Amino acid sequence: MPSPAVSPAARLRGLRPDWLSDPKVWRTEVLGGLVVGLALIPEAISFSVIAGVDPAIGLFASFTMAVVISVVGGRRAMISAATGAVALVIAPLNREHGFGYLVAAVILAGVFQIVLGALGVAKLMRFVPRSVMVGFVNALAILIFMAQVPEMTHVPWPVYPLVAAGLALMVFFPRVTTVIPAPLVSIVILTAITVAAGIAVPTVGDKGSLPSSLPVPGLPDVPFTMDTLTTIAPYALAMALVGLMESLMTAKLVDEITDTHSNKTRESVGQGIANIVTGFFGGMGGCAMIGQTMINVKVSGARTRLSTFLAGTFLMVLCIVFGPVVSDIPMAALVSVMVMVTFATFDWHSIAPKTLRRMPAGEIAVMVITVICVVATSNLAIGVVVGSITAMVIFARRVAHLANVAAVTDPDGTTVVYSVTGALFFASSNDLVGQFDYAGDPDRVVIDLSAAHVWDASSVAALDAIETKYVQRGKSVEIIGLNDSSADLHRKLSGELTSH
């Protein structure tokens, strides 16, 4: 029976974004974008200070990154803006060579990210184990909380009850209604209280002046020479790698939270495009922001590109149109939001005694090492790399012990059959050579690899060494049972790995 024809109108409805057809989704996305836009302002200003540039530069970067990535990115609802990781990488370049070189480095970093994305760097995420991911999330929660500590030390005493009130509002207000995000309610109420009562506490305006106009495009003020390229290239490459690592890890985390798939290659290329656009608009560059993404996805419940686009749009509107009002927002209100994000982000199940008792010691070690590296360096990329390498080493050691050799001699004593089981690679093959009795074995030796797999050149070299030791004693060796891929590798490399 033929399927019924689909009308053009129905086809268009199927292509229409959810927020256009569902008022509830539209409301969630708009309010989520507004909350993130508010939270981005002090963060962008702080990162501008780290990079050594005017606060407007960080705000411009957050605006252009969010707006562009909402269109070209591969992970819906993820927030990209100016970040501390990128600021730390490019700060020395700005300090030593000036702002023009910083902007040029941001543009080149975007080019590097596009190239790396096209080459499939996103596929490397499959090698990041779950224990590293858990460590990444927990370290991230710790860093978010640590970033709020300076806002709660050496401050007027009213800050503390304001933070407590903000947390209470975000815990209990959702029990009344979820129509309006609790973080937005908290920010509005605390701002109204401090302004109406004239309470003197640190505000957003104390972080720096807000821009009064939109950014304009232009070329970086640098000489277009090879010297300039060699100067900015190392910083641009470092920024590209750090930005991609943080963005792809954040995208993977959002995938798990929302139970949806994202296009990591598109996200990698999109990050590059966003940084190029940001550079031409005089921004300091950026990447995915895990804290603001958690506000958007986990706290506000946003799921579409609209919230990301509006986060950047609201950021500029708030700065340009409502600058005086935004400047009066107490930092305590934003601190309470980020503290709530900390508790929502941390994987409390991972440190529960019941979980730790059941988890293999190696998995726990990888998670702890990842957390320590991230917290010690304040660099998520370093922690992920170190954690992944540690996990690979532990895995290699574990698998290396799975290669076993068992010998069976024929009743007539003329032949011995060695059965090898397990994975043969550089870690396990090193011990393989010593498990044969070269002097005591009969004249005919059979090595059965039916239950083994040859993975690399080290294993082929070990088999060659075994065969050589027997031949030197006038004995014959036959290798049987190789599967297709192992046989192909052995045929290509056997006898070609040494010059002797």
Side-chain angles (χ1 to χ4, degrees), residues 72-94:
V72 301
R75 173 65 258 178
R76 293 180 297 172
M78 190 167 77
I79 305 298
S80 290
T83 61
V86 169
L88 288 170
V89 171
I90 60 177
L93 178 63
N94 179 62

Side-chain angles (χ1 to χ4, degrees), residues 142-167:
I142 294 171
L143 286 182
I144 293 174
F145 182 80
M146 289 173 60
Q148 312 314 310
V149 173
E151 304 297 339
M152 295 185 286
T153 55
H154 307 295
V155 293
W157 69 266
V159 167
Y160 303 109
L162 285 173
V163 171
L167 290 172

Side-chain angles (χ1 to χ4, degrees), residues 7 68-69 165 337 430:
S7 66
V68 175
I69 205 67
V337 172
N430 289 332

Side-chain angles (χ1 to χ4, degrees), residues 395-396 398-404 420-430 432 449 451-456 459 486:
F395 174 77
R398 185 183 302 159
V399 175
H401 297 297
L402 298 180
N404 296 311
V420 182
T421 60
L424 301 183
F425 65 112
F426 62 90
S428 59
S429 60
N430 289 332
L432 187 66
L449 298 177
H453 187 95
V454 178
W455 287 104
D456 58 8
S459 302
S486 297

Side-chain angles (χ1 to χ4, degrees), residues 432-439 445 461-477:
L432 187 66
V433 178
Q435 299 190 51
F436 293 80
D437 185 6
Y438 303 101
V445 178
L463 293 173
D464 283 353
I466 294 169
E467 190 170 2
T468 299
K469 289 179 179 293
Y470 277 115
V471 170
Q472 289 174 345
R473 291 170 172 79
K475 302 176 181 180
S476 65
V477 178

Side-chain angles (χ1 to χ4, degrees), residues 112-406:
F112 282 149
Q113 288 178 327
I114 292 175
V115 172
L116 290 170
L119 292 175
V121 69
K123 295 178 182 178
L124 296 176
M125 292 304 297
R126 72 182 66 178
F127 297 106
V128 178
R130 183 184 180 279
S131 53
V132 174
M133 191 68 188
V134 173
F136 167 83
V137 171
N138 291 344
L140 178 64
I142 294 171
L143 286 182
I144 293 174
F145 182 80
M146 289 173 60
Q148 312 314 310
V149 173
E151 304 297 339
M152 295 185 286
T153 55
H154 307 295
V155 293
W157 69 266
V159 167
Y160 303 109
L162 285 173
V163 171
L167 290 172
L169 281 168
M170 283 183 285
V171 170
F172 295 109
F173 185 79
R175 301 182 183 181
V176 178
T177 179
T178 57
V179 173
I180 304 175
L184 180 58
V185 174
S186 176
I187 292 170
V188 171
I189 291 178
L190 293 186
T191 302
I193 291 174
T194 55
V195 172
I199 302 174
V201 292
T203 63
V204 170
D206 296 331
K207 289 288 184 180
S209 59
L210 303 180
S212 58
S213 62
L214 289 171
V216 294
L219 295 174
D221 184 18
V222 295
F224 293 93
T225 64
M226 186 58 66
D227 287 340
T228 299
L229 181 62
T230 55
T231 299
I232 67 174
Y235 295 95
L237 181 59
M239 175 185 164
L241 294 173
V242 169
L244 282 182
M245 178 71 74
E246 196 156 338
S247 298
L248 294 175
M249 288 296 292
T250 304
K252 187 175 180 180
L253 176 60
V254 177
D255 287 354
E256 294 184 1
I257 292 173
T258 61
D259 195 25
T260 57
H261 176 72
S262 62
N263 188 329
K264 304 301 189 302
T265 298
R266 177 177 173 179
E267 182 62 36
S268 301
V269 175
Q271 287 290 327
I273 295 172
N275 272 305
I276 290 174
V277 173
T278 298
F280 281 119
F281 275 91
M284 57 181 277
C287 62
M289 292 193 77
I290 185 70
Q292 274 63 26
T293 298
M294 290 300 100
I295 293 176
N296 195 45
V297 174
K298 205 162 187 178
V299 179
S300 299
R303 292 292 183 271
T304 75
R305 297 178 184 275
L306 179 63
S307 59
T308 306
F309 177 83
L310 290 178
T313 304
F314 281 138
L315 170 65
M316 275 293 99
V317 172
L318 289 168
C319 290
I320 296 172
V321 181
F322 301 102
V325 177
V326 173
S327 296
D328 288 334
I329 296 175
M331 286 301 300
L334 298 176
V335 167
S336 63
V337 172
M338 298 310 293
V339 170
M340 183 60 68
V341 170
T342 296
F343 282 96
T345 302
F346 197 91
D347 187 349
W348 298 101
H349 176 73
S350 67
I351 61 171
K354 183 178 180 181
T355 303
L356 294 176
R357 283 195 298 268
R358 295 182 177 182
M359 192 71 66
E363 301 280 318
I364 297 173
V366 169
M367 180 182 71
V368 172
I369 289 172
T370 302
V371 171
I372 291 174
C373 287
V374 171
V375 174
T377 63
S378 296
N379 191 318
L380 295 167
I382 292 177
V384 170
V385 171
V386 173
S388 298
I389 291 174
T390 303
M392 291 176 186
V393 171
I394 291 175
F395 174 77
R397 286 176 57 85
R398 185 183 302 159
V399 175
H401 297 297
L402 298 180
N404 296 311
V405 178

